[in-house]
Amino acid sequence: MKYINEKKRAGWDDLYEDCFEGINKIIEDNLELKHDETLIKAVFPKMIKALEKAIIRMKDLNYDELMKKPWFAKAQNISEFSKNAETVNKKVISINMIDQFLRATY
């Protein structure tokens, strides 16, 4: 993977190391139609925080307006959906969306 800016990384770098195994487990469980609510409750707030931190870091990067707008619009949509996620299913969807979005940030 190549970082957008080596000095001001964003995206996956904002995730906590202890989330990676949890994210993978949540995704695997979801494919089997299972949910570990304790794990989801532990990972979900960290994913929200990771997205918020990525947004802050991306604001510091010098992109032209055409590159900025689509990223921030997507980030805002994901953030709004995630903050309103009250059910376990919506939290799993949010975790997956944030994970994929932050991966794509690279």
Side-chain angles (χ1 to χ4, degrees):
M1 281 191 249
K2 184 177 180 184
Y3 295 112
I4 292 169
N5 181 327
E6 287 292 330
K7 294 179 183 175
K8 296 180 182 176
R9 298 176 180 181
W12 247 16
D13 294 328
D14 291 309
L15 283 176
Y16 298 87
E17 283 186 29
D18 62 346
C19 282
F20 289 118
E21 286 184 34
I23 293 166
N24 292 335
K25 176 85 170 97
I26 290 167
I27 292 169
E28 287 172 17
D29 285 353
N30 191 50
L31 292 172
E32 296 176 9
L33 304 175
K34 300 187 300 186
H35 296 296
D36 180 343
E37 290 188 40
T38 304
L39 179 60
I40 292 167
K41 287 179 181 176
V43 171
F44 181 72
K46 293 180 180 182
M47 296 298 286
I48 298 285
K49 190 169 188 175
L51 180 60
E52 289 171 353
K53 288 167 65 178
I55 290 169
I56 291 167
R57 289 180 189 228
M58 289 296 280
K59 286 180 181 177
D60 292 338
L61 297 176
N62 294 323
Y63 281 147
D64 60 34
E65 289 304 309
L66 292 175
M67 292 300 289
K68 253 186 189 178
K69 287 181 183 177
W71 192 94
F72 284 104
K74 289 174 189 170
Q76 187 62 35
N77 288 339
I78 293 169
S79 180
E80 286 177 25
F81 178 86
S82 299
K83 288 180 181 177
N84 294 319
E86 294 179 8
T87 66
V88 173
N89 287 335
K90 287 187 178 180
K91 287 180 181 181
V92 170
I93 292 167
S94 296
I95 290 168
N96 198 7
M97 285 192 312
I98 294 170
D99 176 51
Q100 293 302 313
F101 184 71
L102 295 182
R103 288 179 193 234
T105 297
Y106 288 101

